[in-house]
Amino acid sequence: MQSLQEKASAWSGVDQADAFAIDEFNLFEKLGLQSFINLSTNFYTRVYDDEEEWFRSMFANSKKEDAIQNQYEFFVQRMGGPPLYSQRKGHPALIGRHRPFPVTHEAAERWLQHMQNAIDESVDIDQDSKVKMMNFFRHTAFFLVAGNELKNQNQNQNQNNQVACKHAANKPAEEE
Amino acid sequence: MQSLQEKASAWSGVDQADAFAIDEFNLFEKLGLQSFINLSTNFYTRVYDDEEEWFRSMFANSKKEDAIQNQYEFFVQRMGGPPLYSQRKGHPALIGRHRPFPVTHEAAERWLQHMQNAIDESVDIDQDSKVKMMNFFRHTAFFLVAGNELKNQNQNQNQNNQVACKHAANKPAEEE
């Protein structure tokens, strides 16, 4: 069976080394806190205004300002800055915390399109950092698609049970 | 509903601030790579020799040397050192990667007892660091118990479906 990270690389087209090239130097020290706040604010402004209801609705249970803070605190922590996210919320646990959301291939691509647009508009982030960050985001988005499929294996199991159940329930009636 | 980290704090008795006191200074720089390798080697020697088959068998599908490497690379990365784990395996994704294992309260306590014994035997780690690390381990172990319960919600759903299924299958027979 392919591992999570093998699936992430295959689906994203970004190999492990390129995905984690964000660690080659300290992006937080290079870019500063405000760049991350600006990026996440731009990103979530796009997400919360998305014309596609199926995508926008995944975020409907969170306040926009909370979504922004969760995201930039994670980015800061992961890209060499202080562990703001863990101090407030604990382990990132990316797959566990995305469990409530249907992270499909289509959802990953739409998330990435909004992030690409937000990155393109950023005046705080140099070109080389933009490339490294997008590779990280792309690999990570599909890592979460792989994580989502683990969950769906359980749900399929549920559905199979329900189908089996229907058959079992119908069977005696059919035999009569 | 209690969040993952609220459950982790309640069950472990370690609050968020104490759990992440490992971030107050750079433990990797203080202790060095070999301390982490020694700790994980001691820990997994205990685990693979555990007299309790139910616990030991959870690790039976991994080679001991792989388990040691996965663990010390994660500890090094999380405690201020180079991102060895992500370079080789991607995101830690603690809950997602523990998904195959039944991380019960009992399993968490047994894991922690082996780790306490390994920490107690460590001659490379000063007392203050030992306390910080055990608080982090204890909180994290119960964070994973909380993550495991998410998975069990699905399995319970499966079992409920199967019970409902049995009733549905039996019902027509009972009515005959």
Side-chain angles (χ1 to χ4, degrees):
Chain A
M1 199 180 75
Q2 269 188 314
S3 65
L4 292 164
Q5 64 270 27
E6 284 166 350
K7 286 184 184 169
S9 290
W11 293 339
S12 67
V14 179
D15 69 24
Q16 187 92 347
D18 286 335
F20 290 93
I22 56 161
D23 290 324
E24 284 171 10
F25 53 90
N26 191 313
L27 276 163
F28 176 76
E29 284 175 10
K30 187 174 187 184
L31 303 175
L33 177 63
Q34 194 59 48
S35 302
F36 290 97
I37 297 176
N38 293 347
L39 179 64
S40 294
T41 304
N42 188 321
F43 170 76
Y44 274 113
T45 299
R46 294 169 182 281
V47 166
Y48 279 75
D49 287 346
D50 193 325
E51 64 197 14
E52 292 285 350
E53 202 271 339
W54 68 268
F55 187 78
R56 199 177 63 239
S57 67
M58 278 195 263
F59 302 85
N61 287 334
S62 299
K63 279 193 250 175
K64 183 176 158 187
E65 57 266 34
D66 293 339
I68 291 169
Q69 187 182 10
N70 290 341
Q71 188 185 75
Y72 80 71
E73 286 188 353
F74 170 67
F75 289 172
V76 164
Q77 172 167 332
R78 186 59 191 78
M79 298 188 197
L84 301 178
Y85 186 89
S86 289
Q87 283 165 7
R88 199 167 57 85
K89 302 203 65 173
H91 291 287
L94 285 180
I95 291 176
R97 293 190 193 266
H98 281 83
R99 196 184 169 86
F101 310 108
V103 187
T104 60
H105 287 256
E106 195 182 7
E109 289 292 4
R110 197 156 187 94
W111 191 102
L112 287 164
Q113 189 56 58
H114 288 307
M115 185 54 85
Q116 183 69 63
N117 292 340
I119 282 265
D120 286 346
E121 273 192 8
S122 169
V123 293
D124 315 307
I125 305 177
D126 63 282
Q127 191 53 36
D128 179 62
S129 300
K130 285 182 177 183
V131 170
K132 285 187 166 64
M133 289 168 75
M134 277 309 301
N135 279 335
F136 173 79
F137 295 145
R138 190 161 180 85
H139 184 93
T140 302
F142 284 97
F143 182 82
L144 293 178
V145 175
N148 190 61
E149 294 206 344
L150 293 176
K151 180 181 73 183
N152 288 343
Q153 285 164 10
N154 267 19
Q155 286 177 349
N156 289 344
Q157 189 59 40
N158 272 343
Q159 280 163 5
N160 289 343
N161 285 345
Q162 282 166 356
V163 169
C165 176
K166 233 176 165 176
H167 286 170
N170 288 339
K171 211 174 173 193
E174 285 165 4
E175 283 174 351
E176 282 174 351
Chain B
M1 199 181 73
Q2 269 189 315
S3 66
L4 292 164
Q5 64 271 27
E6 284 166 351
K7 286 184 183 169
S9 291
W11 294 339
S12 68
V14 179
D15 70 23
Q16 188 93 347
D18 286 334
F20 290 93
I22 56 159
D23 291 323
E24 284 170 11
F25 53 90
N26 191 313
L27 275 165
F28 175 77
E29 284 175 10
K30 188 173 186 185
L31 303 175
L33 176 63
Q34 194 59 48
S35 303
F36 290 96
I37 296 176
N38 293 347
L39 178 65
S40 294
T41 302
N42 188 322
F43 170 77
Y44 274 113
T45 299
R46 295 169 180 282
V47 166
Y48 279 74
D49 287 344
D50 192 327
E51 63 197 13
E52 292 284 350
E53 202 273 338
W54 67 267
F55 187 78
R56 199 178 62 239
S57 68
M58 277 196 266
F59 302 85
N61 286 333
S62 299
K63 279 193 249 174
K64 184 175 157 187
E65 57 265 35
D66 293 340
I68 291 169
Q69 187 181 10
N70 289 341
Q71 187 185 74
Y72 80 70
E73 286 188 352
F74 170 67
F75 289 172
V76 164
Q77 171 167 332
R78 185 59 191 79
M79 298 189 196
L84 302 179
Y85 186 90
S86 289
Q87 282 164 8
R88 199 168 56 86
K89 303 203 65 171
H91 292 286
L94 286 179
I95 291 176
R97 292 188 194 267
H98 282 82
R99 195 185 170 87
F101 309 108
V103 188
T104 60
H105 287 256
E106 194 182 7
E109 290 292 3
R110 196 156 188 93
W111 190 103
L112 287 163
Q113 189 56 59
H114 288 307
M115 186 53 86
Q116 183 69 63
N117 292 341
I119 282 265
D120 286 346
E121 274 193 7
S122 170
V123 292
D124 316 307
I125 306 176
D126 63 284
Q127 190 54 36
D128 179 63
S129 300
K130 285 182 178 182
V131 170
K132 286 188 164 66
M133 288 167 75
M134 277 309 302
N135 279 334
F136 172 78
F137 295 145
R138 191 163 179 84
H139 184 93
T140 302
F142 284 97
F143 182 81
L144 293 179
V145 175
N148 190 62
E149 293 206 343
L150 293 176
K151 179 181 73 182
N152 289 344
Q153 285 164 10
N154 267 18
Q155 286 176 349
N156 289 343
Q157 189 58 40
N158 273 344
Q159 280 162 4
N160 289 343
N161 285 345
Q162 282 166 356
V163 169
C165 176
K166 235 177 163 175
H167 286 169
N170 288 340
K171 212 175 171 190
E174 285 165 3
E175 284 173 353
E176 282 175 352

